[in-house]
């Protein structure tokens, strides 16, 4: 192996240090945060319109065309109760669903990235008309 010039060796050390800082950062420890790009609201919108809109409605008020036939009304994302929930809580609901409710788990149907994107889009909806 060729000897590595001194200045490059220091550079590598810096890289390793940054990696440690990144690994110690709490926000990157959950596997759902393994996504390496920021949530994409435009993509979230496409996912939402396809899978969620029939129940949650076009503006997230829980007034989609399928909502009338459900025993449990879909959550209204514009209500303060939903608005106050953290992204993490919404993500968990989407990932695991709600027991005894038409809101089933989306794990397996949506990728981690799609779930995060859809949360970003729900955030956008919940901030509208405020
Ligand atoms: C079959 C209808 C239906 C579909 C489709 C549906 N949901 Fe739901 N969703 C519900 C119902 C009903 C609830 C309320 C559950 C409860 O409170 O018991 C709910 C609740 C939620 C909540 C919890 C909100 C809160 O304030 O805690 C989130 C987040 C959510 N849905 C996201 C989604 C996303 C994202 C999709 C699409 C990937 C989706 N839902 C698709 C019916 C649906």
């Amino acid at each position: 192996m060729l000897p590595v010039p001194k200045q490059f060796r220091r550079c590598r050390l810096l890289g390793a240090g940054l990696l440690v800082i990144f690994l110690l950062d709490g926000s990157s420890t959950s596997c759902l945060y393994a996504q390496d790009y920021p949530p994409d609201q435009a993509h979230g919108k496409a996912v939402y319109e396809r899978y969620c809109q029939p129940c949650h409605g076009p503006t997230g008020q829980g007034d989609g065309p399928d909502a009338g036939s459900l025993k449990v009304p879909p959550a209204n994302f514009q209500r303060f109760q939903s608005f106050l929930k953290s992204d993490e809580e919404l993500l968990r609901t989407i990932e695991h669903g709600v027991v005894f409710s038409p809101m089933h788990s989306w794990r397996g149907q949506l990728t981690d990235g799609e779930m995060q994107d859809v949360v970003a889009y729900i955030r956008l909806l919940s901030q509208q008309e405020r």
Side-chain angles (χ1 to χ4, degrees):
M1 220 170 84
L2 288 168
V4 182
K6 223 183 191 155
Q7 64 269 38
F8 286 121
R9 248 183 276 159
R10 272 198 32 214
C11 209
R12 263 203 334 217
L13 208 66
L14 184 71
L18 284 175
L19 189 71
V20 168
I21 291 169
F22 178 74
L23 290 174
L24 289 176
D25 179 356
S27 65
S28 59
T29 49
S30 161
C31 58
L32 254 183
Y33 283 91
Q35 194 182 20
D36 50 9
Y37 57 91
D40 175 352
Q41 287 176 336
H43 181 233
K45 183 174 195 280
V47 173
Y48 182 88
E49 282 171 353
R50 179 151 177 218
Y51 299 104
C52 325
Q53 191 156 303
C55 290
H56 288 284
T59 57
Q61 288 178 289
D63 55 354
D66 289 355
S69 62
L70 302 174
K71 284 200 187 109
V72 184
N76 175 350
F77 300 131
Q78 293 188 11
R79 263 171 53 207
F80 213 53
Q81 210 184 335
S82 282
F83 181 74
L84 285 180
K85 289 187 177 158
S86 66
D87 288 3
E88 182 76 4
E89 273 178 279
L90 298 184
L91 208 55
R92 291 286 163 252
T93 305
I94 298 166
E95 190 184 6
H96 303 293
V98 180
V99 251
F100 303 123
S101 144
M103 178 64 196
H104 63 79
S105 152
W106 291 90
R107 162 69 68 228
Q109 234 170 308
L110 301 179
T111 64
D112 289 0
E114 283 172 332
M115 289 193 260
Q116 284 185 306
D117 291 349
V118 93
V119 167
Y121 184 63
I122 288 173
R123 284 297 177 213
L124 196 70
L125 288 179
S126 72
Q127 279 158 28
Q128 269 166 18
E129 292 158 42
R130 250 162 215 287

